[in-house]
Amino acid sequence: MTPDRVAPHSAEIPFRVPWQERVAGVPPMTPSPSILVVEDETELAELFAEWLSEEYDVRVATTGEDALERVDEEVDVVLLDRLMPGISGDEVLETIRDRGLSVRVAMVTAVEPDFDVLKMGFDDYVVKPVFREDVRRLVEGLLERDQYDQHLSDLFASASKLAALESHKSAGELETSEEYLRLKAEFERTRERIEELESGMSERDFDAVFYDLSEVDI
């Protein structure tokens, strides 16, 4: 039986779980989200990969150098350890942001946060030890947050354009513009999609998307 938690120890064998290999070699119609696990304790990296591999395409890197080779635009979420020999997790995070990759990064580390985290560009910070459900919930929340954020960004962009036009054009001019009508319809669809996402969220889903809000004094 696979344990829900393991104490990490050193090992040397790299590990990779190709998502397609779990489906008799046939790739899916819709690609599974790609998760990069960056953890120098190989047994722990393998365990994280096993916990996630039923739902995601999991890549594993056991050094910072390896992580920077494996991360690309196809990766959706990175689970990143901070303390690693060679290139540290902090340096990996900084390089990912410098490359402009649209990837969610969660620090999963034994290092308790200090004030230096205020200048770091991660999306979440989790202190080990972590359990199977913690890891799954973390990844699920980051993916959901990314979808939610994209819809919100689209909504605000459309609203800004509509407001600019509506403040300078007459109703007659607006009604005869195909581009305006198309944008307005797109705005309504996006707003409805956001409402659907919010209404479909259980308390658990909301907690997953907004993982740390309950801990913040606001």
Side-chain angles (χ1 to χ4, degrees):
M1 180 179 297
T2 302
D4 280 345
R5 176 182 157 203
V6 66
H9 72 270
S10 297
E12 298 295 335
I13 304 172
F15 185 75
R16 173 80 161 82
V17 182
W19 186 82
Q20 291 86 351
E21 290 181 10
R22 300 194 305 278
V23 195
V26 179
M29 294 298 291
T30 302
S32 178
S34 180
I35 314 301
L36 174 60
V37 175
V38 185
E39 169 59 60
D40 67 318
E41 300 293 349
T42 305
E43 182 176 314
L44 188 59
E46 291 178 358
L47 189 60
F48 284 1
E50 182 178 341
W51 288 348
L52 297 170
S53 61
E54 291 182 4
E55 297 181 56
Y56 307 110
D57 176 10
V58 183
R59 309 178 186 185
V60 170
T62 54
T63 67
E65 293 84 353
D66 193 20
L68 293 177
E69 289 181 3
R70 290 176 180 268
V71 68
D72 55 33
E73 285 291 353
E74 295 182 359
V75 174
D76 298 288
V77 171
V78 177
L79 303 183
L80 181 58
D81 190 17
R82 288 191 73 177
L83 294 181
M84 296 184 292
I87 298 177
S88 70
D90 292 14
E91 293 173 292
V92 172
L93 173 63
E94 184 175 357
T95 302
I96 288 174
R97 295 312 184 209
D98 287 344
R99 289 181 182 177
L101 297 174
S102 56
V103 57
R104 295 286 183 178
V105 180
M107 311 304 290
V108 183
T109 176
V111 180
E112 294 188 3
D114 205 342
F115 289 110
D116 62 331
V117 303
L118 296 176
K119 296 182 178 180
M120 296 174 64
F122 56 78
D123 296 286
D124 217 324
Y125 195 104
V126 179
V127 178
K128 298 173 184 173
V130 291
F131 296 82
R132 180 197 303 261
E133 184 60 22
D134 296 325
V135 174
R136 289 180 172 176
R137 178 170 170 252
L138 175 62
V139 170
E140 176 187 338
L142 290 171
L143 292 170
E144 289 287 343
R145 190 188 304 177
D146 195 51
Q147 181 185 26
Y148 191 80
D149 283 356
Q150 185 57 58
H151 284 303
L152 280 179
S153 296
D154 292 344
L155 186 72
F156 286 127
S158 296
S160 177
K161 294 174 184 177
L162 290 172
L165 287 172
E166 290 169 356
S167 64
H168 291 86
K169 298 291 184 181
S170 68
E173 289 175 313
L174 294 173
E175 290 303 319
T176 58
S177 169
E178 291 184 4
E179 282 299 303
Y180 170 80
L181 296 175
R182 180 195 58 77
L183 183 61
K184 191 162 187 178
E186 182 180 298
F187 173 83
E188 293 299 333
R189 286 194 298 270
T190 303
R191 183 168 65 178
E192 289 172 2
R193 180 58 182 144
I194 289 174
E195 290 173 354
E196 288 174 4
L197 284 171
E198 291 175 340
S199 65
M201 285 183 186
S202 64
E203 183 177 349
R204 178 182 178 278
D205 292 334
F206 187 88
D207 288 344
V209 174
F210 305 104
Y211 196 72
D212 293 316
L213 284 186
S214 62
E215 304 300 322
V216 181
D217 185 13
I218 55 176

